[in-house]
């Protein structure tokens, strides 16, 4: 860093300007008939520890780069063996002294030598285009400096035609990790310097298209669209399908099919000037705020959204087109209809895909100054006029680049920047340039610069108040009245960190109940775990602190609905179910089903419906279901055709599914969009999560006398069970060695259990550990042998406190040959319990050979009390290994809900079976809860060679979203109270 005084200008990477030497921003296009040359590939690379460690001689064409390394462009040098990534959520990883940055400023010099293709046009000009460089770049071509730019996730272009040579062109780029621009890019993500998006040379023939703006509105009353394309220079626009041939600047109104996220109708068009032809894809739609509601094409829309950072576990923010498409296909397949591009404009090709596949987009500016919150927002660039040109430049580059995308319905000024004059200047510029879209910003409760009231992580009760326009007043009465008239969205909610998020269903009911509440965007799409390997070669995903960072925010960077390898997490499966656009509810006794279309625009003609009747999880009958092509918000009662035969016995359920009737661009025919399940007869027993504890009684009479326990040597024998007479513990079942079962209340705290320091709800994971629930001690008070039962009386409690759980185990067997062993458990809390329990049930160990699980109950994936919408009752089978959910930071996982019975068997089919009354939560894993709790990464979990550990739980604490959002809602708290439950064990 250069030494400066008040009279000495700052170096270019520290001044507050957006850069110099570049061309004005313009619309992006996927291609034209103008020549293009990609400059991606291997570049010569040299990393220096400071911004001034090397002179500028490397930019000379004759400079010798022998001995330099190479890096791939697009790419980040810290992911290619040069330096290391840094993860922070809020705090800047350097001293806050804007616009100054540390002398220790890693600087990467890049060189690329290229020849022009033989058919490169000899006339016209050429533009060198950078799609994204973090964080400040200085550029030379053939020894001539072109300029400097900042704004990492935005494009920059330079005119270079007169500098080009047929062969041996030398492009030199110096990239600084830290710059004044870094103060504007404090997003919750990895700091990853480098040229991470494409570099392209684009020919500009005489009379080429400079900039163009496609205006394509839709009148829902008349069914007509109006098209006008402004362009410089002028030319003609043709839309063959609509029979249009227009001069630029000329308008035409014709009957069209509108564009929506559900029906993404695009018309192929061409813009032609004297020197270039540019393909266009035109979507007709109109976005307004009317009567306090966001409407598209005259209808209220409900955003079933997600926040998406650009990320790949190996290449960081350098994404290829296939990965972008994979993201969007996964979103569509999981009923997601909206994306907020947190917290910067994405690669422009991503928006092309949103146009094509159909998603609403909040396009967010590359702006966040979150680290100033720790300083009371002192020195915040957003409220400092010196920075306003840089802020407006960023807004301008976003809008000009992305203005022609039908999918973009909102411009977002940025994220977590506080408030200030700079935001107002950005909003004013955007409104003047593009009044056809809504302006969003969350960080100003007054909503002075926005068209929508946006919040993060508002609890359910507050969302309901907002829905009724009864939220707490703002200090300024005029601004308060304006805010109350605005539509409301949760731009972030349901923090998807680790196991969770919980409470999604309750949010969705509020969105559907209140017109003003127009949905939300889950935080976030993908875990940002960076691929690493142990010394033994085992793959895992690193997070904050795994790369030597002195300042970091741990695994807070892993808070997505996808795991880093893009495998859907249970949270995404849950979200898909909660937001499904078709509601299916049934009356099993009457044999009818009520189908409601929750789409905003599409009818149900694209779906095929079917039904299945199952008894005890086995399909008895099934068929197609004729559902009319209901329009949005329409419902119909449909009779379920066919009835099962009288010979079907056991618990019976109807399941109705809605599947795609034909292939789409994002899923094949048969893809399941929605489903509903309901009893075939009135339920005789409420689900386990809501039912009061059932009385733990001896088994009902079965026509045979109860088997009496007896002493045999140094053991007690009862039916198939062998017990230790001193502790009363079961040690063998039908000759199978077991450990336990005994009371267990501990679970490896989830990220949501541990919570966030800035949230008001109690952080139960910390409370549980402070109370000592992870180190309970078991005292045996009595082992009582009676004629009909073995009773073991215990007290289970943590050290250093007087609270405890008095637990009675009552064992019985009623079969003469002793093949079934019943356990009734009674739990009575003692002392003043001021917190809920993590879980309540029993844990036992069985031989490691029993690695296959089968159960009748909820599945196929994990579920917890407030994350169980996607849990479907059926017969399921998985290996014990496959039952684990590989959260990047290991934590409680893998429970199956509403289990009636479960079996664990070996390769030969023999093993152990358990039935529960009431239904229970079933978990099986090859490590203890304590080992799971101690693990920081998945390789820390070592499978036991001897034991599979099984939890049979009467209750589980809910999950919530408190890693950044609200905690567990009251109905899902597992408060300490008297409880009774029972299990029946047998050998198979």
């Amino acid at each position: 860093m250069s030494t400066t005084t008040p009279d000495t200008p700052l170096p270019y990477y520290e001044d507050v300007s957006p850069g110099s030497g570049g061309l004005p921003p313009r619309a992006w296009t996927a291609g034209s008939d103008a020549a293009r040359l990609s400059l991606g590939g291997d570049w010569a690379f040299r990393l220096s520890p400071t911004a001034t460690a090397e002179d500028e001689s490397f930019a000379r064409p004759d400079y010798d780069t022998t001995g330099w390394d190479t890096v791939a462009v697009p790419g980040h040098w810290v992911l290619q063996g040069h330096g290391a990534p840094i993860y922070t959520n809020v705090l800047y990883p350097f001293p806050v002294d804007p616009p100054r940055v540390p002398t220790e400023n890693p600087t990467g010099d890049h060189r690329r030598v290229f020849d022009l293709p033989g058919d490169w046009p000899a006339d016209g000009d050429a533009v060198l285009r950078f799609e994204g460089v973090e964080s400040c770049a200085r550029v030379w071509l053939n020894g001539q400096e072109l300029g400097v730019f900042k704004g990492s996730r935005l494009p920059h272009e330079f005119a270079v035609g007169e500098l080009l040579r047929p062969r041996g062109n030398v492009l030199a780029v110096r990239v600084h990790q830290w710059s004044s621009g870094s103060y504007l890019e404090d997003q919750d993500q990895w700091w990853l310097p480098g040229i991470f998006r494409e570099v392209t040379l684009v020919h500009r023939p005489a009379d080429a298209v400079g900039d163009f703006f496609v205006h394509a509105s839709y009148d829902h009353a008349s069914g007509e669209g109006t098209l006008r394309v402004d362009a410089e220079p002028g030319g003609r626009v043709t839309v063959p399908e609509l029979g249009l041939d227009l001069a630029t600047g000329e308008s035409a109104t014709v009957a069209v099919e509108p564009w929506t996220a559900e029906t993404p109708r695009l018309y192929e068009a061409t813009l032609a000037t004297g020197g270039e032809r540019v393909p266009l894809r035109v979507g007709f739609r109109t976005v307004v705020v009317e009567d306090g509601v966001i409407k598209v094409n005259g209808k209220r829309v409900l955003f079933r959204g997600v926040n998406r950072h650009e990320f790949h576990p190996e290449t960081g923010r350098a994404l290829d087109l296939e990965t972008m498409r994979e993201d969007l296909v996964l979103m569509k397949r999981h009923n997601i209809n909206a994306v907020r591009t947190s917290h910067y404009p994405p690669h422009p090709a991503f928006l092309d895909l949103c146009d094509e596949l159909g998603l609403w987009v909040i396009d967010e500016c590359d702006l966040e100054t979150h680290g100033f919150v720790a300083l009371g927002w002192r020195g915040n660039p957003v409220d400092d006029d010196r920075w306003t040109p840089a802020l407006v430049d960023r807004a301008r580059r976003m809008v000009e680049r992305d203005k022609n995308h039908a999918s973009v319905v909102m411009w977002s000024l940025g994220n977590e920047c506080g408030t200030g004059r700079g935001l107002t200047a950005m909003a004013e510029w955007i409104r003047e340039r593009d009044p056809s879209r809504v302006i969003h910003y969350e960080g100003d409760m007054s909503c002075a610069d926005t068209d929508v009231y946006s919040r993060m992580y508002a609890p359910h009760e507050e969302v309901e108040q907002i829905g009724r326009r009864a939220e707490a007043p703002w200090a300024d009465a005029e601004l308060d009245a304006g805010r109350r008239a605005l539509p409301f969205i949760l731009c972030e909610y349901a923090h998807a960190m680790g196991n969770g998020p919980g409470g999604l269903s309750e949010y969705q009911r509020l969105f559907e109940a209140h017109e003003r509440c127009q949905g939300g965007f889950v935080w976030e799409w993908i875990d940002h775990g960076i691929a690493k390997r142990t010394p033994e070669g085992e793959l895992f995903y690193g997070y904050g602190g795994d790369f030597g960072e002195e300042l970091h925010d741990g695994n807070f960077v892993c808070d997505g609905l996808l795991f880093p390898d893009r495998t859907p997490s249970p949270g995404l499966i849950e979200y898909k179910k909660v937001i499904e656009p078709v509601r299916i509810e049934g009356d099993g006794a009457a044999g009818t089903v009520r189908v409601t279309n929750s789409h905003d625009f599409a009818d149900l003609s694209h779906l095929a419906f079917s039904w299945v009747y199952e008894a005890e999880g086995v399909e008895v009958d099934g068929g197609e279901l004729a559902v009319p092509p209901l329009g949005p918000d329409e419902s119909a009662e449909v009779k379920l055709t066919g009835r099962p035969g009288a010979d079907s016995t056991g618990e019976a359920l109807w399941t109705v599914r809605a599947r795609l009737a034909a292939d789409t661009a994002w899923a094949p025919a048969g893809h399941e969009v929605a489903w509903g399940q309901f009893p075939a007869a009135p339920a005789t027993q409420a689900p386990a999560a809501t039912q009061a504890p059932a009385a733990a009684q001896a088994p009902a009479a079965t026509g045979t006398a109860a088997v009496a326990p007896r002493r045999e040597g140094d053991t007690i024998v009862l039916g198939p069970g062998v017990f230790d007479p001193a502790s009363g513990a079961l040690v063998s079942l039908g000759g199978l060695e077991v450990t336990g079962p005994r009371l267990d209340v501990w679970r490896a705290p989830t990220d949501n259990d541990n919570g966030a320091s800035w949230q008001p709800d109690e952080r139960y994971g910390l409370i549980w550990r402070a109370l000592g629930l992870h180190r309970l001690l078991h005292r045996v008070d009595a082992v009582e042998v009676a004629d009909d039962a073995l009773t073991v009386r215990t007290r289970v409690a943590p050290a250093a406190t007087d609270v405890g759980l008095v637990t009675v185990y009552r064992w019985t067997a009623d079969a003469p040959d002793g093949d079934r062993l019943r356990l009734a458990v009674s739990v009575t809390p003692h002392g003043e319990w001021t917190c809920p329990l993590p879980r309540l049930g029993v844990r036992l160990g069985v031989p490691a050979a029993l690695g296959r699980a089968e159960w009748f109950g909820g599945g196929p994936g994990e579920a917890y009390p407030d994350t169980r919408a996607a849990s479907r009752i059926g017969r399921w089978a998985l290996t014990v290994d496959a039952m684990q959910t590989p959260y990047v930071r290991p934590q409680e996982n893998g429970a199956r809900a509403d289990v009636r019975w479960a079996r664990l068997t070996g390769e030969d089919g023999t093993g152990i079976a358990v039935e529960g009354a009431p239904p229970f939560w079933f978990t099986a894993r090859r490590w203890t809860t304590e080992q799971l709790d101690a693990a920081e990464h998945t390789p820390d979990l070592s499978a036991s060679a001897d034991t599979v550990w099984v939890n049979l739980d009467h209750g589980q604490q809910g999950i919530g979203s408190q890693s950044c959002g609200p905690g567990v809602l009251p109905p899902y708290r597992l408060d300490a109270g008297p409880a009774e439950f029972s299990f029946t064990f047998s050998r198979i």
Side-chain angles (χ1 to χ4, degrees), residues 266-292:
L266 293 172
Y267 290 88
E268 300 295 330
T270 301
L271 167 62
T273 64
E276 186 178 15
R277 294 172 61 85
V278 175
L280 308 178
R281 295 196 300 177
V282 178
F284 291 88
R285 57 107 185 94
T286 295
V287 185
V288 297
V289 173
E290 184 177 85
D291 301 324

Side-chain angles (χ1 to χ4, degrees), residues 89 456-461 492-504 507 522-523 555-556 558-559 747 749-768 835-836 866-867 889 891 957-970 972-973:
N89 170 28
M456 293 181 183
Y457 307 107
H460 299 78
E461 59 270 24
E492 292 181 22
Y493 83 115
H495 198 246
M497 185 176 180
N499 188 333
L504 284 169
Y507 274 119
V522 168
W523 186 267
N555 70 309
F556 201 74
C558 294
D559 48 12
R747 74 183 187 194
T750 68
D751 293 311
N752 287 307
D753 288 337
N754 288 333
S757 60
W758 56 87
Q759 288 295 335
D761 292 330
E762 292 182 287
R763 302 173 68 185
Y764 288 125
L766 308 186
I767 292 170
W768 295 334
C835 65
D866 55 350
T867 66
R889 185 192 73 80
Q891 55 197 271
Q957 167 81 350
I959 297 297
S961 187
Q962 203 189 347
S963 53
C964 194
V968 177
L969 291 170
Y972 307 116
R973 286 171 46 124

Side-chain angles (χ1 to χ4, degrees), residues 692-778:
Q697 303 173 349
T702 59
T704 58
V707 176
R710 65 186 187 278
R711 292 187 177 272
E712 289 188 2
D714 57 357
T715 65
I716 298 173
V717 177
L718 175 60
V722 177
F723 298 81
D724 175 58
S727 65
L730 179 69
V731 296
S732 175
L733 177 70
L736 189 73
E737 183 178 341
V738 298
T739 303
R742 68 176 186 174
L743 190 75
D744 190 18
V745 303
W746 180 242
R747 74 183 187 194
T750 68
D751 293 311
N752 287 307
D753 288 337
N754 288 333
S757 60
W758 56 87
Q759 288 295 335
D761 292 330
E762 292 182 287
R763 302 173 68 185
Y764 288 125
L766 308 186
I767 292 170
W768 295 334
R769 198 178 298 277
L771 185 58
L773 298 188
H774 60 305
R775 47 175 173 77
L776 293 180
L777 299 173
H778 297 249

Side-chain angles (χ1 to χ4, degrees), residues 604-630:
L604 298 188
S605 60
H606 65 293
L607 298 177
F609 291 79
S610 62
W611 61 272
V612 169
Y613 183 95
E614 294 174 316
E616 290 298 307
V618 177
E619 182 175 336
V620 175
D621 200 359
E624 299 303 309
L625 187 66
V627 175
L630 302 169

Side-chain angles (χ1 to χ4, degrees), residues 544-854:
D546 287 335
F547 299 90
E549 308 104 301
E550 294 181 359
L551 182 70
H552 64 85
D553 286 293
N555 70 309
F556 201 74
V557 76
C558 294
D559 48 12
L561 293 170
L562 295 182
F563 295 123
D565 64 358
R566 286 182 159 71
T567 299
S569 76
L572 182 56
I573 306 303
E574 177 80 356
Y575 193 39
K576 175 186 178 180
K577 174 61 180 169
V578 167
I579 62 175
E580 60 190 10
V582 181
R583 295 285 182 238
I584 300 171
E585 304 160 301
D587 182 341
T592 60
V593 60
R594 182 176 181 83
V595 177
T596 302
N597 181 6
S598 297
H599 289 88
D600 295 324
F601 298 93
D603 65 24
L604 298 188
S605 60
H606 65 293
L607 298 177
F609 291 79
S610 62
W611 61 272
V612 169
Y613 183 95
E614 294 174 316
E616 290 298 307
V618 177
E619 182 175 336
V620 175
D621 200 359
E624 299 303 309
L625 187 66
V627 175
L630 302 169
D633 300 322
E634 292 183 347
S635 298
E637 296 278 350
V638 181
K639 192 72 175 177
L640 290 163
T641 58
R643 295 287 291 178
D647 57 344
S648 61
T649 59
E651 182 180 0
L653 295 166
W654 295 97
T655 303
V656 175
R657 297 178 174 89
R659 297 185 175 97
L660 290 178
D663 293 347
T664 70
W666 48 270
H671 166 77
E672 185 177 274
V673 173
W675 60 273
Q677 189 177 63
F678 42 94
T684 58
Q685 178 173 278
T690 58
Q691 179 189 9
Q697 303 173 349
T702 59
T704 58
V707 176
R710 65 186 187 278
R711 292 187 177 272
E712 289 188 2
D714 57 357
T715 65
I716 298 173
V717 177
L718 175 60
V722 177
F723 298 81
D724 175 58
S727 65
L730 179 69
V731 296
S732 175
L733 177 70
L736 189 73
E737 183 178 341
V738 298
T739 303
R742 68 176 186 174
L743 190 75
D744 190 18
V745 303
W746 180 242
R747 74 183 187 194
T750 68
D751 293 311
N752 287 307
D753 288 337
N754 288 333
S757 60
W758 56 87
Q759 288 295 335
D761 292 330
E762 292 182 287
R763 302 173 68 185
Y764 288 125
L766 308 186
I767 292 170
W768 295 334
R769 198 178 298 277
L771 185 58
L773 298 188
H774 60 305
R775 47 175 173 77
L776 293 180
L777 299 173
H778 297 249
R779 185 185 73 209
V780 177
D781 290 333
V783 178
E784 301 170 353
V785 178
D787 290 342
D788 61 346
L790 170 66
T791 302
V792 183
R793 303 183 185 278
T794 71
R795 186 176 190 273
V796 183
T801 181
D802 62 352
V803 300
L805 300 166
V806 174
T807 307
V808 178
Y809 308 90
R810 188 171 188 272
W811 293 93
T812 59
D814 66 346
D817 55 358
D819 61 350
R820 292 165 62 83
L821 185 65
R822 289 185 171 87
L823 168 64
V825 182
S826 172
V827 181
T828 305
H830 275 198
E832 185 179 356
W833 284 85
T834 59
C835 65
L837 299 173
R839 66 174 355 124
L840 180 67
V842 295
R843 175 167 62 172
L844 72 154
V846 300
L850 306 187
R852 296 182 172 185
E854 182 184 2

Side-chain angles (χ1 to χ4, degrees), residues 74 188 235 282 335 414 440 533 671 788 815 849 852 887 909 940-941 964:
D188 174 13
V282 178
N335 295 328
H440 168 273
R533 291 193 179 273
H671 166 77
D788 61 346
R852 296 182 172 185
Y887 294 113
D940 298 336
L941 293 168
C964 194

Side-chain angles (χ1 to χ4, degrees), residues 11 40 43 108 236 312 340 846 893 919 956:
W43 288 44
R236 299 202 68 80
H312 187 281
R340 176 178 175 228
V846 300
N893 73 89
Q956 277 269 1

